[in-house]
Amino acid sequence: MGRILVRPMRALSIATVLFGVPCVAGYATAPPPIEIPTTITQGTSVRVPFSVTSSGTHDLELQYHTDADTYYKIFYAKLLGKIAGTATLFCDGRTLKHELPTGWTRPWGPRAGRVSTVIVRFRAQTQKTYVCSLRITHLPLGLPHNALLVVRYVTPHFHPGNRVYELQ
């Protein structure tokens, strides 16, 4: 009986080393996300400048800090999917315009104290200043006005099927 259990456990250990360790190592080398407090209101535009610390692929997110009760209200009512407007990135005369909602939420879970929607995945370079212009035409009731614009470095192989956009 002990022999039967040893082999699956050994296989599980090998799988963890082969697949889990490189994934964790990728997260260990990723720079911390840039979190910029911003206030969004319906019918107005906000411009948020930022620079990245590592060249490569980044996710631009609109994120909310929540308690468990607010998390459930936002996530299960799908309020992030009801935001309407445009997000435009500017850098060195190039732009990238993306329509909201994107339908891409990132549910951190009620214990994490945050919920977010990914606006766009794009390529960025260090030593450049980017400006994100958010124009919100519809902000659902129940969604706070205080949010974070988050720029998160995407490690290789993290959701590789998602399209990466370039500023034109």
Side-chain angles (χ1 to χ4, degrees):
M1 183 98 168
R3 248 186 179 159
I4 295 171
L5 291 176
V6 170
R7 287 185 183 149
M9 292 305 289
R10 187 176 301 152
L12 181 61
S13 297
I14 291 169
T16 300
V17 168
L18 291 176
F19 298 108
V21 172
C23 188
V24 171
Y27 284 114
T29 60
I34 301 163
E35 297 182 346
I36 307 159
T38 188
T39 302
I40 59 171
T41 54
Q42 184 170 303
T44 62
S45 294
V46 61
R47 292 174 62 88
V48 181
F50 64 90
S51 296
V52 298
T53 57
S54 294
S55 292
T57 303
H58 290 75
D59 281 346
L60 181 66
E61 304 174 13
L62 190 59
Q63 188 176 95
Y64 291 92
H65 285 292
T66 62
D67 56 22
D69 200 34
T70 308
Y71 173 86
Y72 286 113
K73 286 178 186 172
I74 291 172
F75 188 70
Y76 289 110
K78 300 181 181 185
L79 295 181
L80 294 173
K82 296 175 183 174
I83 296 173
T86 57
T88 308
L89 284 176
F90 301 95
C91 181
D92 293 341
R94 298 178 302 139
T95 62
L96 171 58
K97 188 173 183 177
H98 221 70
E99 296 294 322
L100 301 173
T102 62
W104 184 4
T105 58
R106 187 164 277 160
W108 294 95
R111 281 188 250 156
R114 58 181 74 196
V115 62
S116 62
T117 183
V118 178
I119 297 170
V120 68
R121 181 167 281 178
F122 69 104
R123 289 205 205 288
Q125 297 175 347
T126 58
Q127 300 180 355
K128 303 248 182 203
T129 300
Y130 293 83
V131 176
C132 175
S133 175
L134 285 175
R135 184 171 186 286
I136 305 300
T137 57
H138 176 70
L139 189 67
L141 289 174
L143 204 54
H145 293 280
N146 294 328
L148 295 171
L149 190 67
V150 176
V151 183
R152 182 181 313 280
Y153 178 79
V154 179
T155 58
H157 310 297
F158 181 72
H159 294 295
N162 294 329
R163 182 169 176 195
V164 178
Y165 292 87
E166 303 278 346
L167 279 73
Q168 303 293 318

PDB file of all heavy atoms in Angstrom, residues 71-103:
ATOM      1  N   TYR A  71     -16.329  43.566  -2.339  1.00  0.00           N
ATOM      2  CA  TYR A  71     -15.823  42.670  -3.370  1.00  0.00           C
ATOM      3  C   TYR A  71     -16.970  41.902  -4.022  1.00  0.00           C
ATOM      4  O   TYR A  71     -17.088  41.852  -5.236  1.00  0.00           O
ATOM      5  CB  TYR A  71     -14.811  41.682  -2.776  1.00  0.00           C
ATOM      6  CG  TYR A  71     -14.377  40.619  -3.755  1.00  0.00           C
ATOM      7  CD1 TYR A  71     -13.325  40.857  -4.628  1.00  0.00           C
ATOM      8  CD2 TYR A  71     -15.031  39.396  -3.829  1.00  0.00           C
ATOM      9  CE1 TYR A  71     -12.930  39.894  -5.545  1.00  0.00           C
ATOM     10  CE2 TYR A  71     -14.647  38.430  -4.745  1.00  0.00           C
ATOM     11  CZ  TYR A  71     -13.593  38.681  -5.597  1.00  0.00           C
ATOM     12  OH  TYR A  71     -13.217  37.731  -6.507  1.00  0.00           O
ATOM     13  N   TYR A  72     -17.818  41.310  -3.194  1.00  0.00           N
ATOM     14  CA  TYR A  72     -18.937  40.525  -3.730  1.00  0.00           C
ATOM     15  C   TYR A  72     -19.901  41.402  -4.521  1.00  0.00           C
ATOM     16  O   TYR A  72     -20.410  40.995  -5.553  1.00  0.00           O
ATOM     17  CB  TYR A  72     -19.667  39.771  -2.618  1.00  0.00           C
ATOM     18  CG  TYR A  72     -18.861  38.599  -2.126  1.00  0.00           C
ATOM     19  CD1 TYR A  72     -18.332  38.580  -0.847  1.00  0.00           C
ATOM     20  CD2 TYR A  72     -18.597  37.515  -2.955  1.00  0.00           C
ATOM     21  CE1 TYR A  72     -17.576  37.510  -0.404  1.00  0.00           C
ATOM     22  CE2 TYR A  72     -17.839  36.442  -2.523  1.00  0.00           C
ATOM     23  CZ  TYR A  72     -17.333  36.447  -1.244  1.00  0.00           C
ATOM     24  OH  TYR A  72     -16.578  35.393  -0.823  1.00  0.00           O
ATOM     25  N   LYS A  73     -20.139  42.617  -4.050  1.00  0.00           N
ATOM     26  CA  LYS A  73     -21.042  43.531  -4.766  1.00  0.00           C
ATOM     27  C   LYS A  73     -20.476  43.866  -6.147  1.00  0.00           C
ATOM     28  O   LYS A  73     -21.198  43.889  -7.134  1.00  0.00           O
ATOM     29  CB  LYS A  73     -21.255  44.810  -3.962  1.00  0.00           C
ATOM     30  CG  LYS A  73     -22.147  44.620  -2.764  1.00  0.00           C
ATOM     31  CD  LYS A  73     -22.281  45.909  -1.979  1.00  0.00           C
ATOM     32  CE  LYS A  73     -23.050  45.673  -0.694  1.00  0.00           C
ATOM     33  NZ  LYS A  73     -23.038  46.851   0.173  1.00  0.00           N
ATOM     34  N   ILE A  74     -19.177  44.133  -6.213  1.00  0.00           N
ATOM     35  CA  ILE A  74     -18.549  44.510  -7.486  1.00  0.00           C
ATOM     36  C   ILE A  74     -18.410  43.300  -8.405  1.00  0.00           C
ATOM     37  O   ILE A  74     -18.801  43.334  -9.565  1.00  0.00           O
ATOM     38  CB  ILE A  74     -17.174  45.157  -7.250  1.00  0.00           C
ATOM     39  CG1 ILE A  74     -17.340  46.519  -6.587  1.00  0.00           C
ATOM     40  CG2 ILE A  74     -16.396  45.292  -8.560  1.00  0.00           C
ATOM     41  CD1 ILE A  74     -16.024  47.158  -6.142  1.00  0.00           C
ATOM     42  N   PHE A  75     -17.861  42.198  -7.874  1.00  0.00           N
ATOM     43  CA  PHE A  75     -17.550  41.046  -8.709  1.00  0.00           C
ATOM     44  C   PHE A  75     -18.798  40.314  -9.192  1.00  0.00           C
ATOM     45  O   PHE A  75     -18.940  40.027 -10.375  1.00  0.00           O
ATOM     46  CB  PHE A  75     -16.602  40.098  -7.980  1.00  0.00           C
ATOM     47  CG  PHE A  75     -16.094  38.997  -8.861  1.00  0.00           C
ATOM     48  CD1 PHE A  75     -15.210  39.270  -9.879  1.00  0.00           C
ATOM     49  CD2 PHE A  75     -16.522  37.694  -8.682  1.00  0.00           C
ATOM     50  CE1 PHE A  75     -14.741  38.263 -10.713  1.00  0.00           C
ATOM     51  CE2 PHE A  75     -16.055  36.680  -9.506  1.00  0.00           C
ATOM     52  CZ  PHE A  75     -15.169  36.972 -10.521  1.00  0.00           C
ATOM     53  N   TYR A  76     -19.714  40.008  -8.286  1.00  0.00           N
ATOM     54  CA  TYR A  76     -20.869  39.211  -8.680  1.00  0.00           C
ATOM     55  C   TYR A  76     -21.931  40.017  -9.429  1.00  0.00           C
ATOM     56  O   TYR A  76     -22.702  39.462 -10.194  1.00  0.00           O
ATOM     57  CB  TYR A  76     -21.461  38.465  -7.485  1.00  0.00           C
ATOM     58  CG  TYR A  76     -20.539  37.351  -7.065  1.00  0.00           C
ATOM     59  CD1 TYR A  76     -19.839  37.402  -5.873  1.00  0.00           C
ATOM     60  CD2 TYR A  76     -20.336  36.260  -7.901  1.00  0.00           C
ATOM     61  CE1 TYR A  76     -18.963  36.394  -5.519  1.00  0.00           C
ATOM     62  CE2 TYR A  76     -19.461  35.238  -7.550  1.00  0.00           C
ATOM     63  CZ  TYR A  76     -18.785  35.316  -6.354  1.00  0.00           C
ATOM     64  OH  TYR A  76     -17.909  34.323  -6.014  1.00  0.00           O
ATOM     65  N   ALA A  77     -21.958  41.326  -9.256  1.00  0.00           N
ATOM     66  CA  ALA A  77     -22.866  42.176 -10.043  1.00  0.00           C
ATOM     67  C   ALA A  77     -22.207  42.542 -11.377  1.00  0.00           C
ATOM     68  O   ALA A  77     -22.806  43.245 -12.184  1.00  0.00           O
ATOM     69  CB  ALA A  77     -23.236  43.427  -9.268  1.00  0.00           C
ATOM     70  N   LYS A  78     -20.964  42.081 -11.573  1.00  0.00           N
ATOM     71  CA  LYS A  78     -20.209  42.327 -12.802  1.00  0.00           C
ATOM     72  C   LYS A  78     -20.123  43.810 -13.136  1.00  0.00           C
ATOM     73  O   LYS A  78     -20.231  44.213 -14.293  1.00  0.00           O
ATOM     74  CB  LYS A  78     -20.798  41.531 -13.961  1.00  0.00           C
ATOM     75  CG  LYS A  78     -20.765  40.037 -13.696  1.00  0.00           C
ATOM     76  CD  LYS A  78     -21.308  39.238 -14.837  1.00  0.00           C
ATOM     77  CE  LYS A  78     -21.237  37.768 -14.427  1.00  0.00           C
ATOM     78  NZ  LYS A  78     -21.623  36.869 -15.455  1.00  0.00           N
ATOM     79  N   LEU A  79     -19.910  44.630 -12.097  1.00  0.00           N
ATOM     80  CA  LEU A  79     -19.857  46.079 -12.293  1.00  0.00           C
ATOM     81  C   LEU A  79     -18.683  46.510 -13.161  1.00  0.00           C
ATOM     82  O   LEU A  79     -18.799  47.475 -13.919  1.00  0.00           O
ATOM     83  CB  LEU A  79     -19.810  46.794 -10.937  1.00  0.00           C
ATOM     84  CG  LEU A  79     -21.043  46.635 -10.053  1.00  0.00           C
ATOM     85  CD1 LEU A  79     -20.863  47.406  -8.753  1.00  0.00           C
ATOM     86  CD2 LEU A  79     -22.306  47.055 -10.779  1.00  0.00           C
ATOM     87  N   LEU A  80     -17.552  45.801 -13.078  1.00  0.00           N
ATOM     88  CA  LEU A  80     -16.397  46.180 -13.890  1.00  0.00           C
ATOM     89  C   LEU A  80     -16.670  45.993 -15.374  1.00  0.00           C
ATOM     90  O   LEU A  80     -16.118  46.704 -16.209  1.00  0.00           O
ATOM     91  CB  LEU A  80     -15.161  45.390 -13.472  1.00  0.00           C
ATOM     92  CG  LEU A  80     -14.649  45.700 -12.067  1.00  0.00           C
ATOM     93  CD1 LEU A  80     -13.517  44.742 -11.699  1.00  0.00           C
ATOM     94  CD2 LEU A  80     -14.199  47.128 -11.946  1.00  0.00           C
ATOM     95  N   GLY A  81     -17.532  45.061 -15.707  1.00  0.00           N
ATOM     96  CA  GLY A  81     -17.901  44.833 -17.097  1.00  0.00           C
ATOM     97  C   GLY A  81     -18.928  45.819 -17.614  1.00  0.00           C
ATOM     98  O   GLY A  81     -19.280  45.800 -18.787  1.00  0.00           O
ATOM     99  N   LYS A  82     -19.396  46.699 -16.733  1.00  0.00           N
ATOM    100  CA  LYS A  82     -20.399  47.690 -17.125  1.00  0.00           C
ATOM    101  C   LYS A  82     -19.806  49.090 -17.246  1.00  0.00           C
ATOM    102  O   LYS A  82     -20.530  50.034 -17.555  1.00  0.00           O
ATOM    103  CB  LYS A  82     -21.556  47.669 -16.127  1.00  0.00           C
ATOM    104  CG  LYS A  82     -22.295  46.336 -16.126  1.00  0.00           C
ATOM    105  CD  LYS A  82     -23.362  46.279 -15.068  1.00  0.00           C
ATOM    106  CE  LYS A  82     -24.025  44.895 -15.066  1.00  0.00           C
ATOM    107  NZ  LYS A  82     -24.954  44.739 -13.982  1.00  0.00           N
ATOM    108  N   ILE A  83     -18.494  49.224 -16.990  1.00  0.00           N
ATOM    109  CA  ILE A  83     -17.831  50.512 -17.203  1.00  0.00           C
ATOM    110  C   ILE A  83     -17.737  50.733 -18.703  1.00  0.00           C
ATOM    111  O   ILE A  83     -17.342  49.835 -19.441  1.00  0.00           O
ATOM    112  CB  ILE A  83     -16.401  50.516 -16.606  1.00  0.00           C
ATOM    113  CG1 ILE A  83     -16.433  50.347 -15.097  1.00  0.00           C
ATOM    114  CG2 ILE A  83     -15.675  51.796 -16.981  1.00  0.00           C
ATOM    115  CD1 ILE A  83     -15.052  50.183 -14.487  1.00  0.00           C
ATOM    116  N   ALA A  84     -18.090  51.917 -19.158  1.00  0.00           N
ATOM    117  CA  ALA A  84     -17.982  52.223 -20.586  1.00  0.00           C
ATOM    118  C   ALA A  84     -17.129  53.466 -20.767  1.00  0.00           C
ATOM    119  O   ALA A  84     -17.118  54.359 -19.921  1.00  0.00           O
ATOM    120  CB  ALA A  84     -19.365  52.442 -21.194  1.00  0.00           C
ATOM    121  N   GLY A  85     -16.387  53.497 -21.857  1.00  0.00           N
ATOM    122  CA  GLY A  85     -15.542  54.639 -22.165  1.00  0.00           C
ATOM    123  C   GLY A  85     -14.361  54.223 -23.014  1.00  0.00           C
ATOM    124  O   GLY A  85     -14.391  53.187 -23.673  1.00  0.00           O
ATOM    125  N   THR A  86     -13.324  55.039 -22.988  1.00  0.00           N
ATOM    126  CA  THR A  86     -12.109  54.743 -23.739  1.00  0.00           C
ATOM    127  C   THR A  86     -10.884  54.967 -22.868  1.00  0.00           C
ATOM    128  O   THR A  86     -10.884  55.812 -21.981  1.00  0.00           O
ATOM    129  CB  THR A  86     -11.971  55.625 -25.006  1.00  0.00           C
ATOM    130  OG1 THR A  86     -12.015  56.985 -24.609  1.00  0.00           O
ATOM    131  CG2 THR A  86     -13.069  55.333 -26.012  1.00  0.00           C
ATOM    132  N   ALA A  87      -9.873  54.198 -23.151  1.00  0.00           N
ATOM    133  CA  ALA A  87      -8.555  54.389 -22.543  1.00  0.00           C
ATOM    134  C   ALA A  87      -7.582  54.587 -23.691  1.00  0.00           C
ATOM    135  O   ALA A  87      -7.555  53.787 -24.631  1.00  0.00           O
ATOM    136  CB  ALA A  87      -8.166  53.170 -21.716  1.00  0.00           C
ATOM    137  N   THR A  88      -6.822  55.668 -23.629  1.00  0.00           N
ATOM    138  CA  THR A  88      -5.855  55.951 -24.677  1.00  0.00           C
ATOM    139  C   THR A  88      -4.487  56.124 -24.048  1.00  0.00           C
ATOM    140  O   THR A  88      -4.330  56.899 -23.103  1.00  0.00           O
ATOM    141  CB  THR A  88      -6.236  57.232 -25.457  1.00  0.00           C
ATOM    142  OG1 THR A  88      -7.595  57.122 -25.894  1.00  0.00           O
ATOM    143  CG2 THR A  88      -5.337  57.423 -26.658  1.00  0.00           C
ATOM    144  N   LEU A  89      -3.511  55.373 -24.553  1.00  0.00           N
ATOM    145  CA  LEU A  89      -2.117  55.509 -24.117  1.00  0.00           C
ATOM    146  C   LEU A  89      -1.373  56.376 -25.127  1.00  0.00           C
ATOM    147  O   LEU A  89      -1.523  56.189 -26.331  1.00  0.00           O
ATOM    148  CB  LEU A  89      -1.437  54.148 -24.040  1.00  0.00           C
ATOM    149  CG  LEU A  89      -1.764  53.257 -22.860  1.00  0.00           C
ATOM    150  CD1 LEU A  89      -1.075  51.910 -23.015  1.00  0.00           C
ATOM    151  CD2 LEU A  89      -1.343  53.904 -21.575  1.00  0.00           C
ATOM    152  N   PHE A  90      -0.551  57.285 -24.618  1.00  0.00           N
ATOM    153  CA  PHE A  90       0.273  58.157 -25.455  1.00  0.00           C
ATOM    154  C   PHE A  90       1.732  57.999 -25.040  1.00  0.00           C
ATOM    155  O   PHE A  90       2.026  57.901 -23.854  1.00  0.00           O
ATOM    156  CB  PHE A  90      -0.093  59.632 -25.246  1.00  0.00           C
ATOM    157  CG  PHE A  90      -1.513  59.968 -25.550  1.00  0.00           C
ATOM    158  CD1 PHE A  90      -2.468  59.997 -24.540  1.00  0.00           C
ATOM    159  CD2 PHE A  90      -1.907  60.275 -26.840  1.00  0.00           C
ATOM    160  CE1 PHE A  90      -3.782  60.324 -24.810  1.00  0.00           C
ATOM    161  CE2 PHE A  90      -3.225  60.606 -27.127  1.00  0.00           C
ATOM    162  CZ  PHE A  90      -4.154  60.627 -26.104  1.00  0.00           C
ATOM    163  N   CYS A  91       2.634  58.003 -26.019  1.00  0.00           N
ATOM    164  CA  CYS A  91       4.074  58.016 -25.747  1.00  0.00           C
ATOM    165  C   CYS A  91       4.808  58.382 -27.029  1.00  0.00           C
ATOM    166  O   CYS A  91       4.631  57.712 -28.068  1.00  0.00           O
ATOM    167  CB  CYS A  91       4.559  56.656 -25.243  1.00  0.00           C
ATOM    168  SG  CYS A  91       6.326  56.619 -24.868  1.00  0.00           S
ATOM    169  N   ASP A  92       5.624  59.422 -26.972  1.00  0.00           N
ATOM    170  CA  ASP A  92       6.464  59.832 -28.112  1.00  0.00           C
ATOM    171  C   ASP A  92       5.682  59.963 -29.417  1.00  0.00           C
ATOM    172  O   ASP A  92       6.118  59.497 -30.473  1.00  0.00           O
ATOM    173  CB  ASP A  92       7.616  58.844 -28.317  1.00  0.00           C
ATOM    174  CG  ASP A  92       8.619  58.872 -27.182  1.00  0.00           C
ATOM    175  OD1 ASP A  92       8.640  59.872 -26.419  1.00  0.00           O
ATOM    176  OD2 ASP A  92       9.383  57.903 -27.054  1.00  0.00           O
ATOM    177  N   GLY A  93       4.495  60.567 -29.375  1.00  0.00           N
ATOM    178  CA  GLY A  93       3.705  60.766 -30.580  1.00  0.00           C
ATOM    179  C   GLY A  93       2.953  59.538 -31.061  1.00  0.00           C
ATOM    180  O   GLY A  93       2.270  59.587 -32.080  1.00  0.00           O
ATOM    181  N   ARG A  94       3.070  58.435 -30.361  1.00  0.00           N
ATOM    182  CA  ARG A  94       2.351  57.205 -30.720  1.00  0.00           C
ATOM    183  C   ARG A  94       1.184  57.025 -29.764  1.00  0.00           C
ATOM    184  O   ARG A  94       1.246  57.477 -28.612  1.00  0.00           O
ATOM    185  CB  ARG A  94       3.284  56.002 -30.667  1.00  0.00           C
ATOM    186  CG  ARG A  94       4.435  56.108 -31.666  1.00  0.00           C
ATOM    187  CD  ARG A  94       5.397  54.936 -31.593  1.00  0.00           C
ATOM    188  NE  ARG A  94       5.949  54.817 -30.248  1.00  0.00           N
ATOM    189  CZ  ARG A  94       6.131  53.668 -29.607  1.00  0.00           C
ATOM    190  NH1 ARG A  94       5.836  52.524 -30.185  1.00  0.00           N
ATOM    191  NH2 ARG A  94       6.621  53.642 -28.396  1.00  0.00           N
ATOM    192  N   THR A  95       0.123  56.364 -30.229  1.00  0.00           N
ATOM    193  CA  THR A  95      -1.052  56.156 -29.380  1.00  0.00           C
ATOM    194  C   THR A  95      -1.552  54.720 -29.477  1.00  0.00           C
ATOM    195  O   THR A  95      -1.242  54.001 -30.420  1.00  0.00           O
ATOM    196  CB  THR A  95      -2.215  57.096 -29.777  1.00  0.00           C
ATOM    197  OG1 THR A  95      -2.605  56.803 -31.113  1.00  0.00           O
ATOM    198  CG2 THR A  95      -1.843  58.549 -29.640  1.00  0.00           C
ATOM    199  N   LEU A  96      -2.338  54.367 -28.492  1.00  0.00           N
ATOM    200  CA  LEU A  96      -3.040  53.095 -28.458  1.00  0.00           C
ATOM    201  C   LEU A  96      -4.377  53.376 -27.788  1.00  0.00           C
ATOM    202  O   LEU A  96      -4.423  53.769 -26.618  1.00  0.00           O
ATOM    203  CB  LEU A  96      -2.260  52.053 -27.657  1.00  0.00           C
ATOM    204  CG  LEU A  96      -2.956  50.730 -27.355  1.00  0.00           C
ATOM    205  CD1 LEU A  96      -3.377  50.021 -28.628  1.00  0.00           C
ATOM    206  CD2 LEU A  96      -2.068  49.833 -26.513  1.00  0.00           C
ATOM    207  N   LYS A  97      -5.455  53.225 -28.528  1.00  0.00           N
ATOM    208  CA  LYS A  97      -6.792  53.494 -28.007  1.00  0.00           C
ATOM    209  C   LYS A  97      -7.527  52.177 -27.823  1.00  0.00           C
ATOM    210  O   LYS A  97      -7.506  51.324 -28.706  1.00  0.00           O
ATOM    211  CB  LYS A  97      -7.555  54.401 -28.976  1.00  0.00           C
ATOM    212  CG  LYS A  97      -8.875  54.888 -28.439  1.00  0.00           C
ATOM    213  CD  LYS A  97      -9.476  55.906 -29.399  1.00  0.00           C
ATOM    214  CE  LYS A  97     -10.762  56.465 -28.836  1.00  0.00           C
ATOM    215  NZ  LYS A  97     -11.327  57.498 -29.719  1.00  0.00           N
ATOM    216  N   HIS A  98      -8.166  52.041 -26.665  1.00  0.00           N
ATOM    217  CA  HIS A  98      -8.872  50.802 -26.347  1.00  0.00           C
ATOM    218  C   HIS A  98     -10.229  51.150 -25.748  1.00  0.00           C
ATOM    219  O   HIS A  98     -10.335  52.018 -24.893  1.00  0.00           O
ATOM    220  CB  HIS A  98      -8.034  49.982 -25.352  1.00  0.00           C
ATOM    221  CG  HIS A  98      -8.025  48.532 -25.636  1.00  0.00           C
ATOM    222  ND1 HIS A  98      -7.394  47.967 -26.703  1.00  0.00           N
ATOM    223  CD2 HIS A  98      -8.600  47.507 -24.992  1.00  0.00           C
ATOM    224  CE1 HIS A  98      -7.558  46.667 -26.696  1.00  0.00           C
ATOM    225  NE2 HIS A  98      -8.295  46.369 -25.672  1.00  0.00           N
ATOM    226  N   GLU A  99     -11.247  50.438 -26.186  1.00  0.00           N
ATOM    227  CA  GLU A  99     -12.610  50.674 -25.706  1.00  0.00           C
ATOM    228  C   GLU A  99     -12.877  49.880 -24.425  1.00  0.00           C
ATOM    229  O   GLU A  99     -12.403  48.762 -24.267  1.00  0.00           O
ATOM    230  CB  GLU A  99     -13.627  50.267 -26.775  1.00  0.00           C
ATOM    231  CG  GLU A  99     -13.553  51.085 -28.051  1.00  0.00           C
ATOM    232  CD  GLU A  99     -13.926  52.537 -27.863  1.00  0.00           C
ATOM    233  OE1 GLU A  99     -14.863  52.825 -27.086  1.00  0.00           O
ATOM    234  OE2 GLU A  99     -13.266  53.390 -28.498  1.00  0.00           O
ATOM    235  N   LEU A 100     -13.658  50.473 -23.547  1.00  0.00           N
ATOM    236  CA  LEU A 100     -14.114  49.809 -22.331  1.00  0.00           C
ATOM    237  C   LEU A 100     -15.594  49.500 -22.485  1.00  0.00           C
ATOM    238  O   LEU A 100     -16.304  50.271 -23.115  1.00  0.00           O
ATOM    239  CB  LEU A 100     -13.899  50.716 -21.126  1.00  0.00           C
ATOM    240  CG  LEU A 100     -12.456  51.149 -20.867  1.00  0.00           C
ATOM    241  CD1 LEU A 100     -12.417  52.181 -19.765  1.00  0.00           C
ATOM    242  CD2 LEU A 100     -11.612  49.952 -20.503  1.00  0.00           C
ATOM    243  N   PRO A 101     -16.092  48.431 -21.944  1.00  0.00           N
ATOM    244  CA  PRO A 101     -15.395  47.437 -21.132  1.00  0.00           C
ATOM    245  C   PRO A 101     -14.638  46.441 -21.998  1.00  0.00           C
ATOM    246  O   PRO A 101     -14.960  46.243 -23.166  1.00  0.00           O
ATOM    247  CB  PRO A 101     -16.531  46.732 -20.398  1.00  0.00           C
ATOM    248  CG  PRO A 101     -17.678  46.793 -21.352  1.00  0.00           C
ATOM    249  CD  PRO A 101     -17.521  48.119 -22.079  1.00  0.00           C
ATOM    250  N   THR A 102     -13.636  45.821 -21.406  1.00  0.00           N
ATOM    251  CA  THR A 102     -12.857  44.819 -22.134  1.00  0.00           C
ATOM    252  C   THR A 102     -13.364  43.407 -21.862  1.00  0.00           C
ATOM    253  O   THR A 102     -13.029  42.495 -22.594  1.00  0.00           O
ATOM    254  CB  THR A 102     -11.369  44.889 -21.732  1.00  0.00           C
ATOM    255  OG1 THR A 102     -11.257  44.589 -20.337  1.00  0.00           O
ATOM    256  CG2 THR A 102     -10.786  46.251 -22.033  1.00  0.00           C
ATOM    257  N   GLY A 103     -14.104  43.242 -20.770  1.00  0.00           N
ATOM    258  CA  GLY A 103     -14.594  41.915 -20.416  1.00  0.00           C
ATOM    259  C   GLY A 103     -13.548  41.054 -19.740  1.00  0.00           C
ATOM    260  O   GLY A 103     -13.745  39.873 -19.507  1.00  0.00           O
TER     261      GLY A 103
END
